[in-house]
Amino acid sequence: MVRFHRAGLRRRDLSPDGGRCEADALSDPRDPSGYSETDLISLGFISSPKLASLVDNTRPVAEIALDGFDAIVVAGGQAPMFNYARAEALQRIFVAFHEAGKVAAALCHGTALLRYARRADGSLLVADKTVTGFANIEEDFADNATWEMGALERGKHLMPWRIEDELKAIGANYVQAGLWRAFAVRDGNLITGQQNFSGAETARAVCEALGG
């Protein structure tokens, strides 16, 4: 049986030590801004005491056992852009999966991890690798949407930095398929998906890499 570990949540306050995940206004589907009002998955978790307890009591990254899984998939959302710089345990385990020849995948803003992931010798994991991730044109679209709805002051940005720019800056071969186009790319056992509409393509690439 193929086993996966999925890491990452749509929350800005996510501790690598586990515990409660706190949603910011733009991540909470109940917020008056309406920015995430169509996020029925998060709303379902909030509405179910059993599922909500999973969000309130997340397990620490340190509990991920390399020998226990065939792949790691780092999900997106807004949190990675704020938290993954200090998520050293997640950086290490992601690199460990890749270096062990196992599938290491990241999707949407989860690809923010690739800005920080380094091998034991200090070299960047994605240098000279072909990858994708949330594109500049999609960041522009998201910024404009929040300005128009009044959820964010015009001129301010949702994200503190941009994946496309930073991955190019560290030597990755960044590619993308256009605004909100479903897209994933595989480079060896490293798989990346462009944004939230690329889940199926990313999953398909993971399964193919595992021989499925």
Side-chain angles (χ1 to χ4, degrees):
M1 180 178 66
V2 174
R3 301 182 67 197
F4 299 84
H5 193 282
R6 184 175 62 185
L9 290 171
R10 185 182 168 83
R11 308 295 179 212
R12 286 191 180 172
D13 187 10
L14 174 61
S15 170
D17 298 323
R20 181 180 176 82
C21 295
E22 298 286 351
D24 65 9
L26 295 181
S27 297
D28 192 332
R30 303 164 298 181
D31 187 74
S33 70
Y35 185 76
S36 293
E37 64 184 2
T38 59
D39 183 0
L40 301 182
I41 294 177
S42 290
L43 190 61
F45 267 77
I46 292 168
S47 303
S48 167
K50 183 176 180 180
L51 295 178
S53 69
L54 299 177
V55 179
D56 290 339
N57 300 283
T58 64
R59 296 171 62 183
V61 171
E63 290 186 5
I64 300 175
L66 180 63
D67 293 339
F69 300 94
D70 298 300
I72 184 170
V73 179
V74 178
Q78 297 175 76
M81 301 295 289
F82 297 85
N83 295 340
Y84 280 4
R86 61 182 184 273
E88 295 179 357
L90 181 57
Q91 295 167 29
R92 287 193 298 271
I93 195 64
F94 189 87
V95 172
F97 267 80
H98 184 269
E99 297 297 270
K102 298 191 174 189
V103 176
L107 171 67
C108 194
H109 282 110
T111 56
L113 187 70
L114 303 179
R115 183 189 186 191
Y116 312 105
R118 293 179 179 270
R119 299 183 177 89
D121 63 5
S123 63
L124 287 159
L125 180 66
V126 296
D128 299 321
K129 290 191 175 295
T130 298
V131 297
T132 190
F134 211 82
N136 285 349
I137 55 173
E138 290 159 345
E139 295 288 12
D140 289 340
F141 186 100
D143 283 342
N144 280 309
T146 57
W147 296 340
E148 290 175 2
M149 69 171 56
L152 191 69
E153 182 181 337
R154 185 168 291 275
K156 291 188 176 181
H157 301 283
L158 275 170
M159 297 296 119
W161 54 278
R162 294 193 166 192
I163 287 171
E164 179 176 341
D165 291 338
E166 292 301 321
L167 293 186
K168 287 179 178 178
I170 64 175
N173 176 33
Y174 174 89
V175 295
Q176 49 103 345
L179 183 65
W180 308 129
R181 298 291 298 272
F183 179 65
V185 61
R186 176 184 174 187
D187 188 332
N189 59 319
L190 177 65
I191 294 169
T192 47
Q194 185 173 324
Q195 48 8 39
N196 47 306
F197 297 109
S198 305
E201 284 70 21
T202 304
R204 188 174 299 113
V206 170
C207 290
E208 289 174 355
L210 292 170

